[in-house]
Amino acid sequence: MIYILEDDDSIRELVVYSLNSAGLPAAGFARPSEFWPQLQKELPQLLILDIMLPEEDGIHILDRLRSQSQTEKLPIIMLTAKTSEFDQVYGHTHGADDYVAKPFGMMALIARVKALLRRTETDGSPSAITIGSLSIFPDQRQVKADGHPVALTYKEFEVLYLLMQHPGMVFTREQLQDKIWGYEFIGESRTVDVHIRTLRQKLGGCGHMIETVRGVGYRFTGDVA
């Protein structure tokens, strides 16, 4: 089940209809006061969340969802009329997995939904990776730095996992955008840099293991345990 929280009736109804027609069961909510009670009854596979809402704005809802254990890893696509790079980076750094600006095409939105659902499917039995004093456990979506658990957003986890799977390999920003976000950003974006910066901060003493390769991108360094 996919939920969409959007106060514009025409947009909400069109998205729900299009998703259902594409074989993706969906339900829509016009107000946060309708959404929260249903969330307690059934967790969706994915949430499409508008930023500009009555009662409670989308960023505040996103923060609440990421602060609760049962929804901290819920895939979320932000839907908004705002189009500036700042707004996109702001949404991503608050834990959004994708960002779609209005107006948008329904086929493009459905493609984004399907791509995000594919990326969030759990692999059968991924192996844990330990490099130096940093460990990542893909099956549990957990990270430990110097023996202490580290709370990461979905995208931060994916970036770190990709880098740790290929220690020493340099990834350009464009490669990271394509592999983690799965689509081309319009115009220049600092989203990758923002995620790397927050990753380093959260990893504390292990943050230096994510190395900047000037003029190219990033790589993970350290001895494999």
Side-chain angles (χ1 to χ4, degrees), residues 26-56:
F29 307 91
R31 295 176 176 273
S33 57
E34 301 171 0
F35 165 74
W36 289 114
Q38 181 59 32
L39 190 68
Q40 298 302 313
K41 299 177 183 178
E42 179 185 4
L43 286 176
Q45 292 177 282
L46 180 146
L47 170 65
I48 300 173
L49 176 63
D50 189 30
I51 287 184
M52 304 301 291
L53 291 166
E55 303 176 348
E56 186 179 10

Side-chain angles (χ1 to χ4, degrees), residues 3 41 46 50 76 112 119 122 132 187 199 202 218-219:
Y3 289 168
K41 299 177 183 178
L46 180 146
D50 189 30
I76 297 176
R112 296 290 255 297
R119 296 200 301 271
T122 303
L199 253 178
K202 290 182 178 182
Y218 299 98
R219 67 182 171 194

